[in-house]
Amino acid sequence: MNLTLLAELVGLDRIINSDPVAITFFIGYMAMFASAVFFFVERGSVDGKWKTSLLVSGLITGIAAVHYYYMRDFYLQTGTSPTAFRYVDWTLTVPLMCVEFYLLTKPFGAKGSTLFKLIIASLLMLVTGYIGETSGIDSNIFWGVLSTVGYLYIVYEVFAGDVAKLAKESDSPALGRAMFLLKIFITLGWSIYPIGYMVLPGNLLSGAFEVSSIDLFYNLADAINKIGFGLVIYSVAISESAKNKVKTATA
Ligand SMILES: *C/C=C(C)/C=C/C=C(C)/C=C/C1=C(C)CCCC1(C)C
């Protein structure tokens, strides 16, 4: 069988022609998969209450790995954005990130109602974002603005709402450090998504970037946010568990 035909059959022709978007789908898939394995295995090296946090980090990256597997295929077959897969993935993983905030502040009194508000806001953000991406040129700005309301509510909760108050009251340096980094993820890391969205035809930044594929933005943002977010929680979990070990050893 001739090589070009083979490449075409397995959908690699676009990669061989070095399509940067396709390559980021491949890298995204492997990076998510490797991270999920890492977080699951590392559950064994942290103290009890951190095990759930690492489990959730593993679920976030594991769920993303499965979706990247399908999105990569979809993109190679059709050359178009796998929008539905993308939003199914986000609908599962963004609420799980809200659960991470809840778990971090739970030892200091976080309530289920805070988690509920965060999840409702993230669903508002994602449902309206999906409608905006699929409804066409005329209304994607309108739905994008609505979606941003949900996003800003999450930012508000983490910077000034219940999550922020509990983190401040906790007096825990480890939680303080984690919250500082997670705030950077929520503001800078998460803002890559609306920027990608604004590159859609008819939207505010349409044509502003040389590479105007929305998937390049989303793939980059997913890698930063899902893996980075998990690593922040991992590093806090490791340093807190080490402290406890010293305490029990000297007691
Ligand atoms: C792992 C996936 C994550 C962290 C996804 C986050 C997604 C967003 C923050 C999306 C936000 C959007 C807006 C704020 C407005 C335009 C529509 C969206 C959905 C792209």
Side-chain angles (χ1 to χ4, degrees):
M1 191 186 291
N2 118 7
L3 200 64
T4 332
L5 183 62
L6 180 69
E8 207 149 300
L9 271 181
V10 290
L12 282 174
D13 54 323
R14 251 189 295 267
I15 299 275
I16 290 164
N17 291 328
S18 74
D19 173 346
V21 180
I23 292 171
T24 59
F25 275 113
F26 267 81
I27 298 175
Y29 169 51
M30 276 327 293
M32 294 295 177
F33 179 74
S35 306
V37 171
F38 176 79
F39 292 130
F40 285 136
V41 170
E42 284 299 311
R43 279 185 76 236
S45 23
V46 298
D47 279 355
K49 71 168 183 181
W50 294 104
K51 287 191 196 299
T52 321
S53 298
L54 288 200
L55 172 70
V56 175
S57 295
L59 287 176
I60 291 171
T61 45
I63 290 170
V66 174
H67 285 104
Y68 265 81
Y69 178 80
Y70 288 107
M71 290 200 287
R72 187 196 52 128
D73 235 27
F74 183 97
Y75 181 83
L76 287 174
Q77 302 292 332
T78 67
T80 61
S81 290
T83 310
F85 284 123
R86 178 84 72 189
Y87 275 84
V88 172
D89 175 69
W90 288 353
T91 307
L92 296 167
T93 52
V94 176
L96 282 173
M97 293 171 120
C98 298
V99 170
E100 294 278 34
F101 277 112
Y102 171 72
L103 289 174
L104 278 175
T105 45
K106 197 172 137 216
F108 310 102
K111 286 192 293 278
S113 61
T114 307
L115 176 61
F116 185 71
K117 283 188 279 182
L118 286 172
I119 289 179
I120 294 293
S122 61
L123 291 179
L124 169 74
M125 174 179 93
L126 296 173
V127 170
T128 51
Y130 181 73
I131 298 173
E133 276 196 45
T134 49
S135 69
I137 275 188
D138 293 331
S139 53
N140 65 22
I141 296 183
F142 169 77
W143 291 106
V145 170
L146 268 189
S147 172
T148 306
V149 173
Y151 171 49
L152 291 179
Y153 180 79
I154 301 175
V155 172
Y156 160 80
E157 269 298 332
V158 173
F159 274 80
D162 299 346
V163 176
K165 279 178 208 141
L166 288 171
K168 213 171 280 162
E169 283 163 18
S170 76
D171 269 338
S172 154
L175 180 60
R177 244 180 318 131
M179 287 299 295
F180 172 75
L181 290 168
L182 293 181
K183 279 180 193 166
I184 296 178
F185 278 102
I186 289 264
T187 48
L188 293 181
W190 287 29
S191 70
I192 302 170
Y193 299 97
I195 293 173
Y197 181 93
M198 285 190 277
V199 166
L200 282 176
N203 214 305
L204 305 174
L205 294 178
S206 164
F209 293 89
E210 199 168 326
V211 186
S212 59
S213 168
I214 198 171
D215 290 300
L216 206 59
F217 289 89
Y218 288 169
N219 291 353
L220 174 74
D222 274 356
I224 294 175
N225 290 304
K226 293 184 166 62
I227 300 171
F229 206 88
L231 285 176
V232 166
I233 287 163
Y234 168 73
S235 74
V236 178
I238 285 287
S239 63
E240 285 296 284
S241 305
K243 242 185 257 164
N244 277 350
K245 251 177 228 136
V246 173
K247 254 186 235 157
T248 32
T250 52

